Amino acid sequence: MSLIGGIRPPIAVLSVLLLSLAAVTALVLGRVDNAGVPKAVLTSQQHFAEDGAIALRASIDESVTDVTRSAALFSAGQPVSGDAVLDKLGNTYQKWMGTAVVEIRTGKLVAARGETVPLTDVDTSSLGGENGLSPRMVRLKNGEVRLLSFGLLTWPDKPQLLLVASRNLKFPGISLGQFRSIAVVDAGGTTLSSDGIAAPESARNSIDRKDLTASRKQLDAFARQAAVQARRDPRSTKAPGTSGYQGVSGSLLGGMLLSDRSVAGYATLAVPQPGEKTTAAGLGLSVVAMVKVTEESSRAHSPVFGLLAAGALLVVGALAVTVLLATVQRPLIRLFLESRRLTRGDLARAVTVPGYGEAHRIGNALERLRRQLLGEATEDSGPAPRPRGVRRVGTRALLAVCAVLLLAWSAPLMLLVNRADSTAVVPRQLVDDQRERTDTLSDRVRRALNEGDADLQSVASLIGDRTEPEDMGKVLERTYDENRRYRSLYVVDSSGEIQAREGQKPKVIQSKRVSSVPIRLLGHGGKEPVVVAAAEIPGRKGARLVGEFRVEFLNALLTRPGLGVVRLVDDQNKIIAGNTGFLAFQSLPDHHLSDLVAASAQTLGKKPRPNGVLYRENGVRIAAAAPFSGTGSAETLGWSVVSWQRVDRLDIPEYNAQNRTVLAGLLGAAAAAACLGWLHIVVARPLRTLADRAEALAGGDRKTVLFPQHHDEVGAVTRSVELIRQQVQDQRRQQSGRSPAPPSAPQRQEPPRETPQSYPPQQYTRN
């Protein structure tokens, strides 16, 4: 017999699969989740820390780039004083705590703005060496840390100057919400800066002082743990085949204070794409975000459901296997034995005919063939009797009955049992995290647009009225290469005529290139939104430097894991950008989302506030909307960032139980489909074909040769029937080859020998 054919292997495999599935069902569906903090909350803290790391890395890199680019642009123009450099730099950017210009040869302070830059910690003699102008961190006497960025101011026949900008390591635009703190940690686990935890001295009473002290200790403990985890290879922290955040990130579970437990997420400052190098990624910094959550007592999940489901599967599986053994396997084995008996010439005993189906038809055909081998004429055996009633039930119907039995167990698990939409308890922290992360993302987009506008203003002020068109092209080329946010940069006169251009062909028509609005949205009704920023060039009679933002740049800003679908919408709630595919200027897919955006745009106090809600209509969803709120040119746009995601994709105990239940049902349906389909292919179809041919053979068809399809029980019966066909054919050939005896001739008297008589030749032939 073949290992993959026959009636026995699929039934045996089905039995093993059902027993294994029953054991898995009892263990998995009966598992009790005792974790007080759902894994979805821990994962959300990890994503929050990643957002903080991305924002801090982008802020540091932009700060360093702005210093070096500004110094290069100043060096390309006419010599100016140190005070003029710092004034222009301060008017364009408001991001540094302090700036200074120092003469490198003598170390003399030429100009300074803001707080005192710690120049004593800078060794000017090492600036000319390898990585001499790389940013460096300096700790002040009060314990605060400053990041120093450097740029060289070089003019012919002038002393070389050093431009120094100092900034803190605070997070730009991170929305912390309530009960959350965030910190920057170095490679040794020391906290360099933190937000969200007040000093214990500011506590109103002893209870608050104790809470603040405990929170500070817990944050320091998380910082040390994060520093240890940051030393790992980022690839070892990812599941095989997944991508996501390029650095090391994860979550930590802390201790409890009263009814609250501290949880934290950590993430290292990493490059945005593999193979890239950035200044911030090489500083060895990590971000730790800590929040206190109320640890809910787990529900009384009982393992009884898993045991009942496993017991029901054992009962249903036993019935299905019994049906297959009694109605398919045993009749087929009986046919195999009976056909072998007939081929051996044992014709004395009648064929035992199975009760119904194809086996009944084949048994009747074998009985008729047995009588024909005994000499009965084909016509005498009569036509094949038609089965009636229950005898008409074939193998396919029996397999369908078994499939119904198994699906009666699988279908409720897949569709009805353990549905979590109406019973799931969604932690409030997830809604808060969705709101705060969306607000952080909105601020990040607003800052990116403001940065683009500030870059254009800086370049426009340096171009001035003395730069020739050829030199304009060089400045635009350098600016375009250093900034990935623009698809096109060009200088236009007061009529909109292009004087110099770098990048792709402009999408803005000539009549709309000149405007007093710093940032505009064009392209309404088209296939792609066009976000345009413009800065007036001083001294050129209305000439402007225009930059068109790349839509891919905005889409990349909105790409954050764990936020679901994210959209950037304008003041009319039309989509401008998104982290997944979208149609430009299309409305939001749900009126609930439009109402949420409109509600978040309402001013509460001095500015609008982000909102987060939980919807239970048409599936449970978490949604949040955050309008642009802050300073800069982008604030007047009235844009908002809206995000939403389905809760059933989060790691929540109720949905985990639902997913495990659905998985058990799918496994049961798959086992039934595989094994019963196997039986249908190797048994049911060949058996039906054999029944038709056996009846045709018993009815007189001696010419059709029977070929077995598989080397199994059905194939063995087919070979036996073919041997019987050959025996019946040989018997018929022998009977047709015999001639009947001629009638006896009358006695004749022989003539005398003396007179012999001859006969004509035809008479010999007749006799």
Side-chain angles (χ1 to χ4, degrees):
M1 298 296 175
S2 174
L3 292 177
I4 63 172
I7 188 66
R8 294 184 179 91
I11 296 178
V13 171
L14 179 62
S15 302
V16 173
L17 290 179
L18 293 181
L19 288 174
S20 302
L21 181 57
V24 171
T25 301
L27 295 176
V28 174
L29 297 188
R31 189 174 64 187
V32 179
D33 294 326
N34 291 321
V37 179
K39 291 183 179 179
V41 175
L42 296 175
T43 304
S44 181
Q45 307 318 306
Q46 175 183 350
H47 292 325
F48 197 98
E50 292 173 356
D51 290 348
I54 292 173
L56 183 60
R57 187 260 306 160
S59 177
I60 292 176
D61 289 339
E62 288 175 355
S63 178
V64 173
T65 302
D66 291 340
V67 172
T68 56
R69 183 177 63 249
S70 299
L73 291 175
F74 278 116
S75 300
Q78 297 296 324
V80 295
S81 64
D83 289 321
V85 170
L86 297 185
D87 288 340
K88 286 188 176 181
L89 205 62
N91 293 333
T92 305
Y93 303 101
Q94 294 84 30
K95 62 176 64 177
W96 293 294
M97 302 291 294
T99 54
V101 175
V102 181
E103 185 176 335
I104 296 179
R105 184 173 59 85
T106 62
K108 176 184 177 181
L109 179 64
V110 177
R113 297 290 186 275
E115 73 172 15
T116 302
V117 179
L119 298 175
T120 56
D121 296 327
V122 179
D123 184 7
T124 56
S125 62
S126 64
L127 297 177
E130 185 179 0
N131 299 324
L133 294 178
S134 298
R136 63 199 65 182
M137 290 184 294
V138 176
R139 185 176 292 274
L140 304 180
K141 294 181 179 180
N142 60 1
E144 295 184 3
V145 177
R146 295 290 184 264
L147 179 67
L148 303 183
S149 302
F150 307 98
L152 290 178
L153 298 172
T154 304
W155 294 287
D157 301 328
K158 293 287 183 178
Q160 195 175 40
L161 303 178
L162 178 67
L163 174 62
V164 185
S166 171
R167 59 156 294 169
N168 56 25
L169 295 179
K170 298 292 184 179
F171 293 90
I174 295 293
S175 179
L176 297 179
Q178 295 181 342
F179 313 114
R180 188 191 300 275
S181 57
I182 193 168
V184 180
V185 182
D186 63 10
T190 303
T191 301
L192 303 181
S193 69
S194 63
D195 290 321
I197 300 180
E201 295 79 11
S202 62
R204 294 174 298 179
N205 49 53
S206 60
I207 298 178
D208 292 343
R209 187 179 301 106
K210 180 180 179 182
D211 181 64
L212 291 176
T213 304
S215 298
R216 175 62 63 182
K217 290 182 179 180
Q218 182 64 74
L219 183 61
D220 293 339
F222 281 145
R224 291 189 292 271
Q225 296 179 41
V228 174
Q229 298 295 330
R231 302 189 185 102
R232 297 183 298 168
D233 189 336
R235 294 171 294 181
S236 65
T237 64
K238 306 291 188 302
T242 61
S243 55
Y245 189 69
Q246 298 299 322
V248 178
S249 62
S251 59
L252 301 170
L253 191 63
M256 291 192 64
L257 180 61
L258 299 179
S259 61
D260 295 334
R261 180 178 289 276
S262 298
V263 296
Y266 63 90
T268 59
L269 271 63
V271 296
Q273 297 295 332
E276 294 185 5
K277 291 184 179 180
T278 67
T279 300
L283 297 177
L285 302 179
S286 300
V287 173
V288 178
M290 183 184 74
V291 68
K292 294 181 179 180
V293 298
T294 301
E295 191 173 56
E296 300 178 358
S297 58
S298 61
R299 292 187 174 186
H301 293 289
S302 174
V304 174
F305 174 74
L307 296 176
L308 291 177
L313 178 58
L314 291 177
V315 173
V316 171
L319 288 175
V321 172
T322 301
V323 170
L324 293 175
L325 292 176
T327 61
V328 180
Q329 178 173 311
R330 291 179 60 185
L332 184 57
I333 299 299
R334 187 179 298 114
L335 283 179
F336 167 69
L337 297 176
E338 292 292 332
S339 61
R340 290 288 297 271
R341 178 173 65 84
L342 296 183
T343 57
R344 292 196 301 266
D346 185 1
L347 307 177
R349 181 164 47 88
V351 175
T352 302
V353 180
Y356 36 79
E358 291 86 355
H360 178 75
R361 294 169 56 192
I362 296 172
N364 283 331
L366 290 176
E367 174 60 21
R368 294 171 63 195
L369 291 172
R370 183 189 70 85
R371 296 202 303 268
Q372 292 175 21
L373 289 174
L374 291 176
E376 182 178 320
T378 304
E379 296 77 7
D380 295 340
S381 61
R386 288 293 178 183
R388 297 180 180 179
V390 73
R391 298 183 184 276
R392 298 178 57 184
V393 178
T395 305
R396 292 188 298 181
L398 296 173
L399 295 180
V401 170
C402 295
V404 169
L405 286 174
L406 296 176
L407 288 178
W409 181 85
S410 300
L413 296 182
M414 291 188 293
L415 304 175
L416 301 175
V417 181
N418 265 4
R419 300 296 94 182
D421 285 345
S422 59
T423 61
V425 177
V426 181
R428 179 65 189 177
Q429 188 62 44
L430 295 180
V431 182
D432 294 342
D433 290 346
Q434 187 83 11
R435 181 189 65 245
E436 304 305 334
R437 293 188 64 200
T438 304
D439 188 26
T440 299
L441 195 56
S442 174
D443 188 82
R444 179 71 193 114
V445 176
R446 181 187 61 82
R447 287 175 179 272
L449 294 175
N450 288 339
E451 286 283 344
D453 179 60
D455 290 342
L456 294 181
Q457 293 181 15
S458 174
V459 176
S461 63
L462 293 176
I463 289 178
D465 57 347
R466 299 181 181 181
T467 306
E468 298 296 330
E470 295 80 5
D471 297 330
M472 287 184 189
K474 296 180 181 179
V475 174
L476 294 182
E477 181 181 3
R478 177 182 300 175
T479 305
Y480 182 81
D481 293 339
E482 291 178 351
N483 291 272
R484 300 179 180 180
R485 56 171 61 96
Y486 305 112
R487 65 175 301 275
S488 180
L489 282 172
Y490 47 93
V491 176
V492 297
D493 58 16
S494 58
S495 64
E497 186 71 25
I498 295 178
Q499 304 297 314
R501 178 173 67 88
E502 183 66 28
Q504 304 179 25
K505 181 180 179 181
K507 289 189 175 183
V508 182
I509 61 177
Q510 183 175 349
S511 61
K512 294 184 177 180
R513 290 171 184 165
V514 179
S515 174
S516 59
V517 180
I519 303 178
R520 296 174 292 158
L521 174 63
L522 304 176
H524 294 277
K527 295 182 178 180
E528 183 177 345
V530 181
V531 182
V532 184
E536 185 176 359
I537 301 177
R540 286 191 174 267
K541 299 180 180 180
R544 280 173 168 77
L545 173 61
V546 182
E548 297 181 6
F549 287 89
R550 293 189 302 115
V551 178
E552 294 80 7
F553 168 72
L554 299 177
N555 294 340
L557 292 177
L558 299 177
T559 302
R560 292 290 187 272
L563 268 182
V565 181
V566 184
R567 294 289 183 264
L568 175 65
V569 297
D570 61 8
D571 54 351
Q572 301 298 323
N573 290 349
K574 302 299 181 181
I575 298 176
I576 305 171
N579 63 339
T580 57
F582 66 95
L583 295 178
F585 302 107
Q586 187 183 33
S587 300
L588 290 170
D590 192 340
H591 70 91
H592 293 301
L593 299 175
S594 300
D595 295 341
L596 179 62
V597 174
S600 63
Q602 299 297 322
T603 302
L604 298 177
K606 295 183 179 181
K607 59 181 181 179
R609 301 286 183 180
N611 285 324
V613 294
L614 176 68
Y615 294 118
R616 289 189 181 271
E617 182 180 352
N618 299 325
V620 184
R621 292 176 301 161
I622 297 176
F628 281 6
S629 177
T631 59
S633 303
E635 182 186 9
T636 60
L637 293 173
W639 294 357
S640 299
V641 174
V642 56
S643 66
W644 66 93
Q645 63 177 324
R646 293 171 52 183
V647 177
D648 58 359
R649 298 179 180 177
L650 302 178
D651 201 347
I652 297 176
E654 288 82 1
Y655 283 103
N656 288 339
Q658 173 181 311
N659 295 335
R660 292 194 295 263
T661 303
V662 172
L663 178 59
L666 289 174
L667 291 176
C675 296
L676 297 180
W678 185 1
L679 279 171
H680 182 264
I681 292 173
V682 302
V683 175
R685 289 197 305 184
L687 196 63
R688 188 178 183 86
T689 302
L690 176 58
D692 294 336
R693 301 230 178 130
E695 288 180 343
L697 174 60
D701 183 7
R702 305 290 190 264
K703 296 182 179 180
T704 302
V705 180
L706 283 77
F707 295 99
Q709 298 183 19
H710 305 286
H711 297 287
D712 53 12
E713 293 87 353
V714 180
V717 176
T718 304
R719 287 192 296 271
S720 298
V721 175
E722 169 61 20
L723 293 176
I724 294 174
R725 184 192 70 83
Q726 295 175 9
Q727 293 177 9
V728 173
Q729 194 175 34
D730 292 341
Q731 185 183 50
R732 181 183 177 186
R733 188 180 299 111
Q734 292 175 4
Q735 290 177 356
S736 61
R738 298 175 188 163
S739 59
S744 57
Q747 295 291 333
R748 288 185 299 198
Q749 186 177 2
E750 291 185 4
R753 294 182 182 272
E754 295 79 13
T755 56
Q757 188 176 2
S758 61
Y759 296 91
Q762 58 270 23
Q763 189 169 351
Y764 286 103
T765 303
R766 186 179 302 114
N767 293 337

